[in-house]
Amino acid sequence: MYKKRKGGAYIMQPNGLKALYEVAPQLQQGLDVLGVDVPSSNGKLYAWWMIRDALYQEVLKQKDNNNVKFYRGWTFENFFDDPQSPTIKARFKREGCSATDEEDCLELEGALLIGADGIHSGIRAQLGLPPADPVGSCVWRGSIQIPEDHSTLGPLLHKGVHPMGYVSLGGATSAVSFLNFHSKYPGVMTWSISTKDTSASHPRQVVGPYLLSDDKKELSSILDALFELADPSDLDFKIPFLTSKPPDSDENGWGGQGRVTLVGDAAHGIRSAGGQAGGMAFEDACIFIRMLKQQQQQQQQQ
């Protein structure tokens, strides 16, 4: 089951956890048990798929609710926000299809459209907001299952949350990081290799000189072992670091355009920095729900 899980590590700082548990308090007990404590910040460290799966399962629980419908396999195409219409409409196409056939198209309508579609947000693009910009670095990351008796990587399982520390390569132009989940998930460790050499197509090109270096034999053996255990698809999947600027706003903040608003990376993508992007996304959701509740209360009082 573990080998089907994808992605690297995900740090939830206290601000993100507080917001998430306000939105979905029923998740707190389970995620507290899963997370590895981060003593330096009182946050929690997760493998990326732990948060994803917890949220996904919570959505699935709501599928029989008449107010919740769940669609998979569709990609956003465009929206229509006619001020004369009581609803906003959004159009989607089936993944892998051209959307020329009506049966491969889906149209939904509602009171609001919330763009939570990530750093490459199609909704953000239709609003005419600037796309995400590359910051000049990239990363490969994933998870590995280390046998307890592995002669090279086995000892790392007992060396704390960050068993190698932060290993810089080539004058800090590249870095290797391991994060240890062995205390909660025996043998599980996430890894990442980042670099400012955006021309590299494979992490071996980044760490190659260290695999051949006589004075770095320990690190070389660790990297060799990583490449043997890593999922080949993770090694082939290079992720550029991107940022997206928040929309221009007045002193009251940007609340959206018409009946459309953005949350998370679609609104303000930032370079990975201690889990703050994920935390900000949950804070967005928390504030949005507070506003909806406030509006509902005002309507009930009228």
Side-chain angles (χ1 to χ4, degrees):
M1 184 176 181
Y2 153 74
K3 291 184 178 180
K4 296 180 181 178
R5 312 300 178 104
K6 306 289 287 184
Y10 190 99
I11 298 176
M12 284 288 285
Q13 301 294 5
N15 63 311
L17 288 170
K18 180 180 178 181
L20 173 59
Y21 295 155
E22 181 174 330
V23 172
Q26 66 273 28
L27 297 180
Q28 182 168 359
Q29 183 176 0
L31 288 179
D32 279 351
V33 171
L34 289 176
V36 175
D37 291 335
V38 181
S40 60
S41 68
N42 294 321
K44 291 280 189 179
L45 179 69
Y46 302 91
W48 182 85
W49 42 264
M50 295 177 184
I51 297 288
R52 180 204 63 192
D53 284 6
L55 294 171
Y56 179 68
Q57 292 301 322
E58 195 59 34
V59 171
L60 287 181
K61 290 178 184 177
Q62 303 296 325
K63 66 181 181 179
D64 294 327
N65 186 323
N66 290 332
N67 293 325
V68 176
K69 293 188 183 298
F70 189 51
Y71 298 90
R72 296 183 61 186
W74 297 89
T75 301
F76 172 79
E77 189 175 31
N78 51 44
F79 65 81
F80 308 91
D81 190 9
D82 181 356
Q84 305 302 316
S85 172
T87 60
I88 182 172
K89 297 179 180 180
R91 186 177 175 87
F92 302 82
K93 64 179 180 181
R94 198 182 301 276
E95 290 180 355
C97 298
S98 63
T100 56
D101 194 328
E102 280 301 314
E103 68 179 20
D104 292 325
C105 297
L106 173 68
E107 187 171 280
L108 303 175
E109 58 183 290
L112 294 170
L113 176 62
I114 305 167
D117 50 341
I119 195 74
H120 299 291
S121 171
I123 296 174
R124 179 186 176 95
Q126 189 174 339
L127 289 171
L129 299 171
D133 295 318
V135 300
S137 57
C138 58
V139 67
W140 294 263
R141 59 193 177 196
S143 302
I144 53 176
Q145 179 77 51
I146 302 173
E148 184 81 26
D149 59 354
H150 195 286
S151 60
T152 303
L153 297 181
L156 294 182
L157 296 173
H158 306 282
K159 289 188 176 182
V161 174
H162 207 160
M164 290 175 54
Y166 188 76
V167 181
S168 297
L169 308 177
T173 60
S174 305
V176 176
S177 176
F178 284 85
L179 291 168
N180 192 359
F181 292 86
H182 182 61
S183 63
K184 296 292 181 75
Y185 280 80
V188 174
M189 194 171 290
T190 65
W191 60 270
S192 68
I193 298 175
S194 58
T195 182
K196 294 180 180 178
D197 180 10
T198 56
S199 66
S201 60
H202 193 280
R204 278 192 179 275
Q205 296 174 336
V206 176
V207 304
Y210 295 86
L211 293 175
L212 302 174
S213 176
D214 290 335
D215 62 340
K216 303 283 187 181
K217 287 185 178 180
E218 181 180 3
L219 177 58
S220 296
S221 63
I222 288 174
L223 293 172
D224 260 335
L226 165 64
F227 291 137
E228 289 177 6
L229 292 178
D231 186 323
S233 64
D234 290 330
L235 298 174
D236 290 334
F237 187 50
K238 180 173 74 173
I239 305 169
F241 283 121
L242 303 169
T243 62
S244 57
K245 296 179 180 179
D248 292 334
S249 64
D250 57 25
E251 61 183 9
N252 296 317
W254 187 83
Q257 179 177 312
R259 285 173 284 194
V260 185
T261 193
L262 303 173
V263 298
D265 282 350
H268 43 64
I270 63 172
R271 192 186 188 283
S272 297
Q276 285 304 321
M280 289 167 64
F282 288 124
E283 287 180 318
D284 287 348
C286 180
I287 292 172
F288 185 72
I289 289 173
R290 288 180 186 177
M291 294 176 67
L292 289 178
K293 288 182 177 179
Q294 184 180 34
Q295 184 183 45
Q296 186 180 45
Q297 290 171 354
Q298 291 173 347
Q299 290 175 345
Q300 290 173 347
Q301 291 171 358
Q302 291 175 355

